């Protein structure tokens, strides 16, 4: 009886150690392909590393989406719940971050958005625009008096006509994820320098290119 109990205890301990080692191996973020994208069997590897509360509503199991965590300075590409690509430094608005930003405030908006335009000839090298201010932002801004009813109707009618929001109202716009272009990498590493966008370096923005398309969800948290 004692020998059996000892054997079972040793077996359980060995399984715990094996499980711990396997989890650590799956979370190795150092393995990359030549284009800077982690293969699906390494970091993405079957590891649930996402707090369920951070997931977008109605997420499809294989949907590609992007999490931008301003506090941790991480840009993470997910397929459903699984990590596909992680970038470990970003800079954001010099004015901070808030769910509702004002035009000219240099603040980065918080919330859930979608990529609505891609500019490959941007002065920042590559620009993934997001649909700020979207319908939810405009509705909340109207409710608390940040925009007038006329501005609200203008935002909605502009979106209906062009598929992208205007940037000329009190909420501003032209927000997105972009590279540095010819900007100073040292400034990028040391300061939050943008006018409200999220910036990564030129190599990193190119590594995001295979994953982001028109309609890709982008969740910005701060």
């Amino acid at each position: 009886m004692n020998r059996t109990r000892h054997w079972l205890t040793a077996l359980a301990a060995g399984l715990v150690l094996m499980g711990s080692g396997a989890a650590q191996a799956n979370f190795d973020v150092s393995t990359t392909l030549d284009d800077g994208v982690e293969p699906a069997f390494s970091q993405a590897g079957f590891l649930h590393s996402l707090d369920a509360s951070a997931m977008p509503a109605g997420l499809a199991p294989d949907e590609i989406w992007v999490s931008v965590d301003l506090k941790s300075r991480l840009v993470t590409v997910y397929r459903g719940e699984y990590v596909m690509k992680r970038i470990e430094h970003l800079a954001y608005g010099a004015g901070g971050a808030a769910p509702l930003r004002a035009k000219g405030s240099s603040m980065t908006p918080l919330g859930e958005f979608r990529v609505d335009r891609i500019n490959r000839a941007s002065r920042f090298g590559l620009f993934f625009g997001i649909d700020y201010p979207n319908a939810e932002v405009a509705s909340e801004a109207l409710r608390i008096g940040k925009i007038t009813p006329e501005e609200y109707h203008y935002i909605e009618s502009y979106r209906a006509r062009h598929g992208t929001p205007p940037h000329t109202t009190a909420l501003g716009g032209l927000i997105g994820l972009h590279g540095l272009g010819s900007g100073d990498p040292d400034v990028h590493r040391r300061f939050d320098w943008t006018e409200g966008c999220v910036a990564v370096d030129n190599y990193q923005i190119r590594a995001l290119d295979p994953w982001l398309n028109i309609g890709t969800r982008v969740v910005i948290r701060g």
Side-chain angles (χ1 to χ4, degrees):
M1 174 69 86
N2 289 337
R3 286 197 301 271
T4 301
R5 181 178 300 169
H6 177 75
W7 180 83
L8 289 173
T9 300
L11 176 61
L15 289 173
V16 169
L17 289 173
M18 288 172 64
S20 174
Q24 290 175 3
N26 280 338
F27 199 65
D28 179 12
V29 300
S30 63
T31 304
T32 59
L33 302 178
D34 290 342
D35 62 358
V37 178
E38 281 83 356
F41 53 80
S42 62
Q43 178 186 355
F46 318 113
L47 178 68
H48 288 251
S49 60
L50 177 65
D51 185 339
S53 65
M55 293 173 59
L59 187 70
D62 61 346
E63 181 179 345
I64 298 295
W65 62 284
V66 179
S67 168
V68 178
D69 190 326
L70 301 183
K71 288 184 178 179
S72 300
R73 298 189 181 273
L74 289 174
V75 177
T76 308
V77 178
Y78 288 92
R79 185 189 298 275
E81 302 176 12
Y82 301 102
V83 175
M84 306 304 292
K85 172 70 184 172
R86 179 163 286 157
I87 289 173
E88 297 188 349
H89 180 73
L90 62 84
Y92 60 98
L100 296 179
R101 71 184 297 275
K103 185 177 181 180
S105 67
S106 294
M107 298 185 78
T108 297
L110 304 175
E112 181 179 323
F113 308 97
R114 288 185 182 268
V115 174
D116 65 356
R117 61 201 182 281
I118 300 174
N119 183 358
R120 302 186 185 281
S122 166
R123 64 189 178 96
F124 297 110
L126 182 57
F127 186 97
F128 297 99
I130 61 172
D131 62 343
Y132 177 91
N134 59 22
E136 291 77 14
V137 168
S139 295
E140 178 64 11
L142 176 63
R143 186 186 71 82
I144 65 175
K146 290 290 186 181
I147 57 174
T148 66
E150 291 75 19
E151 285 179 304
Y152 173 79
H153 290 300
Y154 174 67
I155 291 171
E156 291 303 292
S157 62
Y158 190 100
R159 285 170 52 85
R161 291 196 309 271
H162 302 283
T164 60
H167 62 273
T168 54
T169 71
L171 299 175
L174 297 179
I175 303 298
L177 282 69
H178 61 68
L180 302 184
S182 59
D184 187 339
D186 187 54
V187 170
H188 173 68
R189 285 190 294 268
R190 296 172 59 194
F191 301 103
D192 288 316
W193 55 271
T194 79
E195 295 180 7
C197 294
V198 174
V200 296
D201 69 31
N202 292 329
Y203 176 82
Q204 292 167 334
I205 198 68
R206 289 193 298 271
L208 289 177
D209 196 14
W211 301 101
L212 275 66
N213 292 292
I214 300 298
T216 300
R217 290 200 241 193
V218 178
V219 180
I220 305 177
R221 296 181 293 154

